[in-house]
Every structure is written in C-alpha cells, then in structure tokens.
Amino acid sequence: MLYLVGLGLSDETDITVKGLEAVKRASRVYLEAYTSILLVDQSTLETYYGRSITVADREMVESNSDEILRGAKEEDVAFLVVGDPFGATTHTDLVLRARELGVPVRTIPNASILSAIGATGLQLYNFGQTVSMVFFLDNWRPTSFYDRIKENRSIGLHTLVLLDIKVKEQSLENMARGRKIYEPPRYMTVGTCAKQMLEVEEEKGEGVYGLESLAIGAARVGGKTEKFVAGTLQELCDADDLLGPPLHSLVLLGRRTHELEYEFVREFAINRHTWDRVWEADYKGKQS
C-alpha cells in the first residue's frame, strides 16, 4: 500500500493517530519537501515518529516516482505531505503512476491552509478560487492570478493567495551548465506579495483591487506563533516585521464580508481607524 499521509501545518505532533500508525508500519518513509515546510526540521520528525525519513525533492517525485513506489505492492510505503495530501498540492501524478503499477493507495487527510485560514475569522464558504503568487523575475511576471481574483471579487468572495517558496532551486546558469548547485531557500512574504499585486494592478488598470483594498496577512498558521495582521494592501506592503518568519499567506477581503467577519478581523488591524474608514466606505452594506 502507498499511504499519502497529511502532516498538518505546524510541528511533529500535528500528524493524526491514523497517520502515525501508517508511518510506523511502513517499510520506507518519504517526506515531500518542496511545496511547503513544517516549522520543525527532519530530525525532529524522525525522533517523534521513530523512523528514518528520506527527503523527496521535486526531481524525485516528478521524475523518479518508481523509486518511491518500488515494492509497494508487497509492503507499505508512506509519503508524507505537509498539510493535506489533496489540499493545496494534489500529487495526482504519483497516484496515477501507482495505479498504473497496480499499487493500492490510501489517503490519510489532515488540516491544510485551505481550512486553517478560517482562523482569520472569515467564513470558509465565502472564499472563491485560491490563487498562487510567484516571485517575479525581470523577464517573467506571470499575472494569471489577476483574472481569478477579478472573478472572485465580481461576486464578492474572499481570495486566499498562497505565496511562493523556492527550495532546492537552480539558477538558470547552473541549470544550463548541468551543475547540481542549488540556491538558498527563499520564502515569499506578505509584503512582497502585496507589492507585486499592486504592480500588476497598476499595469492592468482594471480596478480589481487597489492601495486601500482590505486584506489579511497570515503567518505560521496552525503553529504556536501563529500571527495575523489586517490592513490595506498599502499597509501590508510594510507589515513583514509584524508577521515575522515564514510561512506567509494573504487573504483579500470580498465585498460580501459579513459584519461578524469584519468585527473578528478588526482585532488584527494595524490601524483600526483606517480599517473602520475603508470598511464604511467600500465594504459595509455591500454583502449582496
């Protein structure tokens, strides 16, 4: 059996009892380590689980999945995923390859950012499409997220923005020369995300959001040092010190924001006077 085991969002204790049982009886344990991170390191997981763990990078999962699935028809293999195995990242390719090889697959779910973001006080059924924001480069500035946000805001829904992480990435030069030299890990912050969003709005000029659009920055959701900061996009451009270390996410408020949501989030406001003023002008009474 191939077990896809969700680890939750924070530390070694977030794994479910069912997931831990699967890990302890598996012959081999892999940790997917390129789409997200826990707030503890590999050695902490190994000590708590009582098992040795092989880190599975993007290359292994996408190009060498047969190694992960080796012998999985006769023994148990556990593939660990931060959050939920079918949350923000689905790993569909691995499951399809397992099916081709006749390997049974079982999923053990856990909390993901898609559900845990409810800790902001926003109602989950008022969220629209989730989008991702990547680091902009001089010659690569993808803006597909803009149209998705536009669709969400046209019907008043919130948008969860997942922020880029770069783990075991090669520079273009090293990639071209075939050198296995990797760049230091990078984790996008709410400030970088907000600035990039405003740059794209300035280019598009469609008024989907702006400097005074209300948003929430979220950091280390589900962890002991979980932090939320609310304000305008302009305020969030400079809120990284308030939020602290990664991982970060951002939520754009939709105009269907209920007054109970507003009151809950107001506790996190950088400047409550500004929060109240923008709410009164642009959001209150526009829930339909």
Side-chain angles (χ1 to χ4, degrees):
M1 178 80 71
L2 171 66
Y3 286 92
L4 300 179
V5 181
L7 298 184
L9 294 171
S10 179
D11 58 33
E12 72 279 13
T13 65
D14 282 350
I15 193 170
T16 64
V17 173
K18 186 181 294 184
L20 185 57
E21 290 174 348
V23 169
K24 286 184 176 295
R25 66 173 173 263
S27 299
R28 300 191 312 281
V29 181
Y30 296 90
L31 172 64
E32 188 267 84
Y34 62 92
T35 59
S36 191
I37 59 168
L38 285 178
L39 303 180
V40 294
D41 59 24
Q42 178 185 344
S43 62
T44 301
L45 297 183
E46 291 178 327
T47 299
Y48 189 79
Y49 300 159
R51 298 301 315 280
S52 175
I53 296 173
T54 299
V55 173
D57 59 18
R58 185 187 299 273
E59 183 178 356
M60 173 180 280
V61 177
E62 295 182 352
S63 303
N64 197 22
S65 60
D66 284 356
E67 169 59 25
I68 297 173
L69 298 171
R70 172 177 50 85
K73 291 175 70 173
E74 293 78 34
E75 58 190 17
D76 290 338
V77 175
F79 184 76
L80 312 183
V81 182
V82 177
D84 182 86
F86 290 97
T89 306
T90 62
H91 298 294
T92 302
D93 288 347
L94 183 61
V95 174
L96 292 177
R97 182 60 181 148
R99 289 178 181 174
E100 289 176 3
L101 297 174
V103 174
V105 179
R106 181 170 297 169
T107 302
I108 302 177
N110 208 322
S112 81
I113 189 62
L114 300 180
S115 56
I117 200 65
T120 59
L122 301 180
Q123 298 165 0
L124 293 179
Y125 52 76
N126 279 342
F127 278 80
Q129 302 167 87
T130 298
V131 303
S132 297
M133 175 70 74
V134 300
F135 284 109
F136 285 175
L137 303 176
D138 291 340
N139 59 350
W140 190 64
R141 297 163 58 88
T143 60
S144 58
F145 68 88
Y146 187 86
D147 290 335
R148 304 289 80 76
I149 293 175
K150 183 178 180 180
E151 291 172 7
N152 288 346
R153 289 180 73 81
S154 70
I155 51 177
L157 298 179
H158 312 309
T159 301
L160 172 61
V161 185
L162 303 179
L163 310 192
D164 199 6
I165 71 170
K166 299 290 188 185
V167 178
K168 205 175 181 183
E169 297 275 343
Q170 293 174 275
S171 68
L172 293 177
E173 179 183 354
N174 286 328
M175 190 180 299
R177 294 176 180 272
R179 297 186 300 211
K180 297 292 185 180
I181 301 174
Y182 300 101
E183 300 294 295
R186 296 174 63 204
Y187 306 98
M188 183 180 285
T189 65
V190 162
T192 297
C193 177
K195 290 171 185 174
Q196 291 189 176
M197 290 178 65
L198 290 171
E199 288 174 14
V200 172
E201 178 57 55
E202 186 173 0
E203 294 169 5
K204 299 276 189 180
E206 297 181 27
V208 173
Y209 48 80
L211 292 170
E212 293 216 323
S213 294
L214 296 181
I216 306 169
R220 302 170 304 284
V221 177
K224 295 176 182 177
T225 61
E226 176 182 84
K227 179 76 173 181
F228 301 112
V229 172
T232 65
L233 275 181
Q234 184 175 34
E235 289 175 327
L236 291 182
C237 287
D238 300 310
D240 287 348
D241 287 345
L242 294 174
L243 283 164
L247 291 172
H248 288 191
S249 302
L250 183 141
V251 180
L252 272 176
L253 264 66
R255 286 201 164 85
R256 284 172 57 178
T257 300
H258 192 277
E259 292 212 18
L260 289 177
E261 294 176 286
Y262 153 74
E263 287 289 349
F264 194 108
V265 178
R266 186 176 183 271
E267 180 69 22
F268 309 132
I270 296 171
N271 184 317
R272 292 184 183 178
H273 174 75
T274 302
W275 181 265
D276 294 341
R277 175 181 58 78
V278 176
W279 164 262
E280 290 284 342
D282 295 337
Y283 291 81
K284 187 176 182 180
K286 299 180 182 179
Q287 287 83 2
S288 59

